[in-house]
């Protein structure tokens, strides 16, 4: 099967990236990771990717002070050079400018730890607990200009228990993220 070359963009530990690495290792999975990129040269996920034999690249945003677009132009050039067709943001902690978003419109996915449109932004687990919600989850969506907006591709739900802490809830959601992202990407690619 022809595997679509994708890039995974991370800023930290990269457990979702790892779930995508495992999925892409399957012969029948429709994507291959051609590049793992980070804005943070110290992201632990970069080492995970290297150990998996993947090409990695760090483009430190601190080298582009007050120039988000300049940083994104460097990212975009690296993506083009690697022949990337689809981007998966996986814990990429930079807000993107309209420059990169428009360049990759309809071809950039993100995973977010809430049932969007509920709780865009940070601290989603604590916010769901504070609100007294009984259900929480995660969302894979296409990236548009608004933060954590954009058409929803797929969601997974988990129950909230009475004794949950933000940490216990985060780990229940994360387990689902690792199933959801590969499934959503595969489904997305089958429709493109
Ligand atoms: C995940 O919870 C993801 O939903 C959010 O950031 C976290 C990244 O975790 N966007 P990891 O780096 O994939 O382990």
């Amino acid at each position: 099967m022809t595997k679509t070359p994708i890039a995974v963009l991370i800023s930290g530990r990269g457990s979702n990236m790892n779930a995508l690495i495992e999925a892409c290792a399957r012969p029948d999975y429709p994507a291959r990771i051609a590049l793992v990129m980070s804005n943070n040269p110290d992201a632990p996920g970069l080492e995970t990717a290297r150990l998996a034999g993947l090409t990695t690249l760090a483009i430190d945003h601190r080298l582009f002070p007050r120039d988000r677009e300049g940083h994104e132009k460097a990212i975009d050039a690296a993506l083009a050079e690697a022949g990337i067709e689809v981007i998966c943001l996986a814990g990429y902690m930079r807000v993107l400018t309209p420059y990169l978003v428009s360049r990759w419109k309809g071809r950039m996915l993100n995973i977010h730890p809430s049932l969007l449109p509920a709780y865009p932004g940070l601290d989603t687990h604590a916010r769901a607990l504070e609100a007294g919600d009984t259900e929480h989850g995660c969302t894979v969506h296409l990236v548009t200009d608004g933060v954590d907006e954009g058409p929803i591709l797929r969601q997974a739900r988990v129950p909230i228990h009475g004794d949950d802490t933000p940490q216990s809830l985060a780990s229940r959601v994360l387990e689902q993220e690792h199933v959801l992202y590969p499934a959503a990407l595969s489904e997305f690619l089958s429709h493109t």
Side-chain angles (χ1 to χ4, degrees):
M1 89 168 340
T2 323
K3 285 176 168 262
T4 301
I6 67 164
V8 184
L9 268 57
I10 61 169
S11 295
R13 87 193 139 177
S15 70
N16 278 291
M17 171 204 72
N18 203 45
L20 291 170
I21 291 175
E22 284 174 9
C24 287
R26 297 202 304 264
D28 61 343
Y29 193 78
R32 66 182 171 85
I33 300 176
L35 184 62
V36 171
M37 210 189 293
S38 181
N39 64 302
N40 169 17
D42 300 320
L46 285 175
E47 181 61 12
T48 310
R50 273 182 222 116
L51 290 171
L54 297 173
T55 303
T56 63
L57 180 65
I59 303 182
D60 193 338
H61 63 275
R62 291 166 299 192
L63 300 177
F64 300 82
R66 291 175 297 284
D67 185 12
R68 280 181 186 267
E69 200 169 303
H71 181 233
E72 292 181 355
K73 282 186 172 151
I75 290 174
D76 195 52
L79 293 167
E81 195 178 315
I84 299 304
E85 292 179 18
V86 170
I87 300 175
C88 289
L89 303 180
Y92 186 71
M93 299 305 286
R94 303 288 295 170
V95 173
L96 300 175
T97 77
Y99 171 76
L100 203 66
V101 173
S102 63
R103 297 273 296 167
W104 289 88
K105 187 164 183 267
R107 300 182 294 149
M108 178 159 32
L109 282 59
N110 181 43
I111 187 157
H112 182 74
S114 78
L115 294 170
L116 291 172
Y119 313 123
L122 300 174
D123 299 325
T124 57
H125 310 301
R127 287 156 68 199
L129 286 174
E130 270 159 33
D133 293 354
T134 55
E135 198 179 46
H136 190 41
C138 46
T139 303
V140 173
H141 65 98
L142 285 169
V143 176
T144 54
D145 280 330
V147 174
D148 300 325
E149 293 178 7
I152 289 172
L153 297 177
R154 205 156 159 157
Q155 294 185 309
R157 294 168 183 274
V158 302
I160 294 182
H161 301 155
D163 59 353
D164 265 329
T165 61
Q167 292 71 28
S168 66
L169 187 54
S171 60
R172 189 173 312 120
V173 171
L174 192 64
E175 218 173 280
Q176 292 306 311
E177 291 184 38
H178 296 162
V179 180
L180 184 72
Y181 212 170
L185 174 63
S186 161
E187 191 174 72
F188 171 77
L189 292 174
S190 75
H191 295 139
T192 53

